Amino acid sequence: MVIQRWQSVLLLVAAVMMGLFSFMSLGQFQGADVTYNFTALGIMPEGIPTGGAAPEGQSTWYLFVASALSALLALIDIFLFKNYKAQRRMCAYSILLTCVATVLAAWLGYANEFGEISWSSLVCAPFIALIAEIMAYQRIVRDNRIIRDSERLR
């Protein structure tokens, strides 16, 4: 007997939120002569600077790996409903990677040499994903308890 209800929806919400976080713009830095776009893939200059050579950006591949892997684990976790232990473990890893991605994004946003950041509204996506993953974890545990209780009554 398998109960698979809301945790699938919650894990899908978490996967979509972290997928958006991985590929969309998280904010912008306004430098002296150029604006930098901050994404999970890197901090890159936008447009052509007013004078001189084009400035270089900064690679943030570790933020991209953490956020994309969190989205991928949440998506894979939906299909592990027949294996309770694997689903619970995968959900815990996804929660951990979402926290890591959130901390990395905050650290990169505030500890940089490009200037003050203007955050986009997408910066709240990891928080939504984290809440959805925690709720999914709780429902996975609760459903397993219901299954054990029903099998005990047989």
Side-chain angles (χ1 to χ4, degrees):
M1 179 176 175
V2 175
I3 301 174
Q4 184 69 9
R5 297 180 294 217
W6 284 105
Q7 59 263 35
S8 296
V9 174
L10 292 168
L11 289 169
L12 183 63
V13 166
V16 168
M17 286 292 130
M18 290 309 291
L20 288 173
F21 185 79
S22 298
F23 293 104
M24 303 294 281
S25 176
L26 303 177
Q28 292 186 339
F29 297 103
Q30 184 61 44
D33 57 349
V34 70
T35 301
Y36 294 91
N37 190 23
F38 176 39
T39 65
L41 291 168
I43 301 173
M44 301 297 167
E46 284 186 346
I48 300 170
T50 54
E56 294 208 14
Q58 176 182 351
S59 176
T60 57
W61 60 269
Y62 41 88
L63 174 60
F64 177 73
V65 168
S67 60
L69 195 57
S70 174
L72 184 64
L73 288 181
L75 198 58
I76 290 171
D77 198 15
I78 295 171
F79 301 105
L80 292 176
F81 61 90
K82 290 188 179 182
N83 189 346
Y84 162 71
K85 286 184 180 180
Q87 187 180 30
R88 191 183 64 181
R89 189 178 308 123
M90 190 77 71
C91 192
Y93 291 150
S94 183
I95 289 170
L96 179 67
L97 280 172
T98 302
C99 290
V100 167
T102 305
V103 169
L104 281 174
W107 177 68
L108 286 168
Y110 290 116
N112 61 61
E113 70 265 5
F114 299 107
E116 189 173 329
I117 188 168
S118 169
W119 293 102
S120 74
S121 60
L122 192 64
V123 79
C124 67
F127 298 111
I128 295 169
L130 187 62
I131 291 169
E133 289 168 345
I134 290 171
M135 289 175 65
Y137 185 85
Q138 291 172 342
R139 289 184 183 268
I140 290 167
V141 171
R142 191 191 91 219
D143 283 353
N144 185 50
R145 189 175 49 237
I146 290 171
I147 290 171
R148 275 188 296 139
D149 291 345
S150 69
E151 289 176 354
R152 186 185 58 190
L153 293 174
R154 285 186 186 180

PDB file of all heavy atoms in Angstrom, residues 114-128:
ATOM      1  N   PHE A 114      31.915  44.076  -6.593  1.00  0.00           N
ATOM      2  CA  PHE A 114      31.194  44.760  -7.664  1.00  0.00           C
ATOM      3  C   PHE A 114      30.313  45.911  -7.176  1.00  0.00           C
ATOM      4  O   PHE A 114      29.826  46.683  -7.961  1.00  0.00           O
ATOM      5  CB  PHE A 114      30.334  43.759  -8.440  1.00  0.00           C
ATOM      6  CG  PHE A 114      31.134  42.683  -9.099  1.00  0.00           C
ATOM      7  CD1 PHE A 114      31.123  41.389  -8.598  1.00  0.00           C
ATOM      8  CD2 PHE A 114      31.920  42.954 -10.200  1.00  0.00           C
ATOM      9  CE1 PHE A 114      31.870  40.398  -9.196  1.00  0.00           C
ATOM     10  CE2 PHE A 114      32.672  41.969 -10.796  1.00  0.00           C
ATOM     11  CZ  PHE A 114      32.647  40.689 -10.292  1.00  0.00           C
ATOM     12  N   GLY A 115      30.053  46.003  -5.897  1.00  0.00           N
ATOM     13  CA  GLY A 115      29.227  47.077  -5.375  1.00  0.00           C
ATOM     14  C   GLY A 115      28.005  46.537  -4.656  1.00  0.00           C
ATOM     15  O   GLY A 115      27.905  45.359  -4.334  1.00  0.00           O
ATOM     16  N   GLU A 116      27.053  47.410  -4.421  1.00  0.00           N
ATOM     17  CA  GLU A 116      25.833  47.030  -3.714  1.00  0.00           C
ATOM     18  C   GLU A 116      24.864  46.334  -4.664  1.00  0.00           C
ATOM     19  O   GLU A 116      24.681  46.752  -5.801  1.00  0.00           O
ATOM     20  CB  GLU A 116      25.181  48.278  -3.120  1.00  0.00           C
ATOM     21  CG  GLU A 116      24.039  47.950  -2.203  1.00  0.00           C
ATOM     22  CD  GLU A 116      23.510  49.179  -1.492  1.00  0.00           C
ATOM     23  OE1 GLU A 116      24.299  50.096  -1.226  1.00  0.00           O
ATOM     24  OE2 GLU A 116      22.304  49.195  -1.237  1.00  0.00           O
ATOM     25  N   ILE A 117      24.213  45.292  -4.169  1.00  0.00           N
ATOM     26  CA  ILE A 117      23.325  44.503  -5.016  1.00  0.00           C
ATOM     27  C   ILE A 117      21.877  44.980  -4.879  1.00  0.00           C
ATOM     28  O   ILE A 117      21.444  45.409  -3.821  1.00  0.00           O
ATOM     29  CB  ILE A 117      23.426  43.002  -4.685  1.00  0.00           C
ATOM     30  CG1 ILE A 117      22.658  42.185  -5.707  1.00  0.00           C
ATOM     31  CG2 ILE A 117      22.926  42.716  -3.286  1.00  0.00           C
ATOM     32  CD1 ILE A 117      22.924  40.716  -5.659  1.00  0.00           C
ATOM     33  N   SER A 118      21.188  44.918  -5.996  1.00  0.00           N
ATOM     34  CA  SER A 118      19.756  45.154  -6.035  1.00  0.00           C
ATOM     35  C   SER A 118      19.103  43.807  -6.337  1.00  0.00           C
ATOM     36  O   SER A 118      19.137  43.326  -7.466  1.00  0.00           O
ATOM     37  CB  SER A 118      19.438  46.179  -7.125  1.00  0.00           C
ATOM     38  OG  SER A 118      18.057  46.237  -7.340  1.00  0.00           O
ATOM     39  N   TRP A 119      18.530  43.156  -5.317  1.00  0.00           N
ATOM     40  CA  TRP A 119      17.984  41.805  -5.455  1.00  0.00           C
ATOM     41  C   TRP A 119      16.710  41.801  -6.284  1.00  0.00           C
ATOM     42  O   TRP A 119      15.910  42.722  -6.232  1.00  0.00           O
ATOM     43  CB  TRP A 119      17.671  41.213  -4.085  1.00  0.00           C
ATOM     44  CG  TRP A 119      18.865  40.938  -3.241  1.00  0.00           C
ATOM     45  CD1 TRP A 119      19.320  41.703  -2.204  1.00  0.00           C
ATOM     46  CD2 TRP A 119      19.771  39.846  -3.360  1.00  0.00           C
ATOM     47  NE1 TRP A 119      20.449  41.141  -1.666  1.00  0.00           N
ATOM     48  CE2 TRP A 119      20.746  39.993  -2.351  1.00  0.00           C
ATOM     49  CE3 TRP A 119      19.855  38.753  -4.209  1.00  0.00           C
ATOM     50  CZ2 TRP A 119      21.781  39.084  -2.178  1.00  0.00           C
ATOM     51  CZ3 TRP A 119      20.891  37.853  -4.027  1.00  0.00           C
ATOM     52  CH2 TRP A 119      21.836  38.018  -3.022  1.00  0.00           C
ATOM     53  N   SER A 120      16.497  40.727  -7.032  1.00  0.00           N
ATOM     54  CA  SER A 120      15.232  40.542  -7.747  1.00  0.00           C
ATOM     55  C   SER A 120      14.265  39.796  -6.830  1.00  0.00           C
ATOM     56  O   SER A 120      14.643  39.302  -5.774  1.00  0.00           O
ATOM     57  CB  SER A 120      15.462  39.749  -9.039  1.00  0.00           C
ATOM     58  OG  SER A 120      15.698  38.402  -8.750  1.00  0.00           O
ATOM     59  N   SER A 121      13.021  39.701  -7.242  1.00  0.00           N
ATOM     60  CA  SER A 121      12.025  39.016  -6.415  1.00  0.00           C
ATOM     61  C   SER A 121      12.235  37.502  -6.408  1.00  0.00           C
ATOM     62  O   SER A 121      11.680  36.802  -5.572  1.00  0.00           O
ATOM     63  CB  SER A 121      10.617  39.348  -6.908  1.00  0.00           C
ATOM     64  OG  SER A 121      10.476  38.940  -8.250  1.00  0.00           O
ATOM     65  N   LEU A 122      13.045  36.998  -7.315  1.00  0.00           N
ATOM     66  CA  LEU A 122      13.305  35.560  -7.395  1.00  0.00           C
ATOM     67  C   LEU A 122      14.185  35.065  -6.253  1.00  0.00           C
ATOM     68  O   LEU A 122      14.297  33.864  -6.033  1.00  0.00           O
ATOM     69  CB  LEU A 122      13.957  35.242  -8.736  1.00  0.00           C
ATOM     70  CG  LEU A 122      14.042  33.779  -9.108  1.00  0.00           C
ATOM     71  CD1 LEU A 122      12.638  33.214  -9.262  1.00  0.00           C
ATOM     72  CD2 LEU A 122      14.812  33.607 -10.371  1.00  0.00           C
ATOM     73  N   VAL A 123      14.746  35.970  -5.494  1.00  0.00           N
ATOM     74  CA  VAL A 123      15.610  35.568  -4.398  1.00  0.00           C
ATOM     75  C   VAL A 123      14.815  34.854  -3.303  1.00  0.00           C
ATOM     76  O   VAL A 123      15.388  34.132  -2.487  1.00  0.00           O
ATOM     77  CB  VAL A 123      16.386  36.791  -3.862  1.00  0.00           C
ATOM     78  CG1 VAL A 123      15.543  37.633  -2.953  1.00  0.00           C
ATOM     79  CG2 VAL A 123      17.659  36.375  -3.196  1.00  0.00           C
ATOM     80  N   CYS A 124      13.506  34.971  -3.299  1.00  0.00           N
ATOM     81  CA  CYS A 124      12.683  34.271  -2.301  1.00  0.00           C
ATOM     82  C   CYS A 124      12.387  32.826  -2.725  1.00  0.00           C
ATOM     83  O   CYS A 124      11.819  32.067  -1.940  1.00  0.00           O
ATOM     84  CB  CYS A 124      11.398  35.027  -2.036  1.00  0.00           C
ATOM     85  SG  CYS A 124      10.285  35.070  -3.448  1.00  0.00           S
ATOM     86  N   ALA A 125      12.773  32.407  -3.922  1.00  0.00           N
ATOM     87  CA  ALA A 125      12.504  31.055  -4.406  1.00  0.00           C
ATOM     88  C   ALA A 125      13.104  29.960  -3.523  1.00  0.00           C
ATOM     89  O   ALA A 125      12.430  28.963  -3.257  1.00  0.00           O
ATOM     90  CB  ALA A 125      12.979  30.906  -5.848  1.00  0.00           C
ATOM     91  N   PRO A 126      14.339  30.079  -3.027  1.00  0.00           N
ATOM     92  CA  PRO A 126      14.851  29.020  -2.148  1.00  0.00           C
ATOM     93  C   PRO A 126      14.080  28.893  -0.840  1.00  0.00           C
ATOM     94  O   PRO A 126      13.950  27.801  -0.301  1.00  0.00           O
ATOM     95  CB  PRO A 126      16.293  29.420  -1.872  1.00  0.00           C
ATOM     96  CG  PRO A 126      16.653  30.371  -2.916  1.00  0.00           C
ATOM     97  CD  PRO A 126      15.401  31.040  -3.348  1.00  0.00           C
ATOM     98  N   PHE A 127      13.556  30.005  -0.345  1.00  0.00           N
ATOM     99  CA  PHE A 127      12.779  29.941   0.884  1.00  0.00           C
ATOM    100  C   PHE A 127      11.460  29.207   0.658  1.00  0.00           C
ATOM    101  O   PHE A 127      11.034  28.411   1.485  1.00  0.00           O
ATOM    102  CB  PHE A 127      12.538  31.349   1.437  1.00  0.00           C
ATOM    103  CG  PHE A 127      13.803  32.060   1.801  1.00  0.00           C
ATOM    104  CD1 PHE A 127      14.240  33.141   1.072  1.00  0.00           C
ATOM    105  CD2 PHE A 127      14.575  31.622   2.867  1.00  0.00           C
ATOM    106  CE1 PHE A 127      15.415  33.793   1.397  1.00  0.00           C
ATOM    107  CE2 PHE A 127      15.756  32.265   3.202  1.00  0.00           C
ATOM    108  CZ  PHE A 127      16.180  33.350   2.471  1.00  0.00           C
ATOM    109  N   ILE A 128      10.828  29.471  -0.477  1.00  0.00           N
ATOM    110  CA  ILE A 128       9.600  28.753  -0.834  1.00  0.00           C
ATOM    111  C   ILE A 128       9.905  27.275  -1.033  1.00  0.00           C
ATOM    112  O   ILE A 128       9.167  26.404  -0.557  1.00  0.00           O
ATOM    113  CB  ILE A 128       8.963  29.369  -2.097  1.00  0.00           C
ATOM    114  CG1 ILE A 128       8.510  30.797  -1.816  1.00  0.00           C
ATOM    115  CG2 ILE A 128       7.802  28.520  -2.594  1.00  0.00           C
ATOM    116  CD1 ILE A 128       8.110  31.571  -3.040  1.00  0.00           C
TER     117      ILE A 128
END
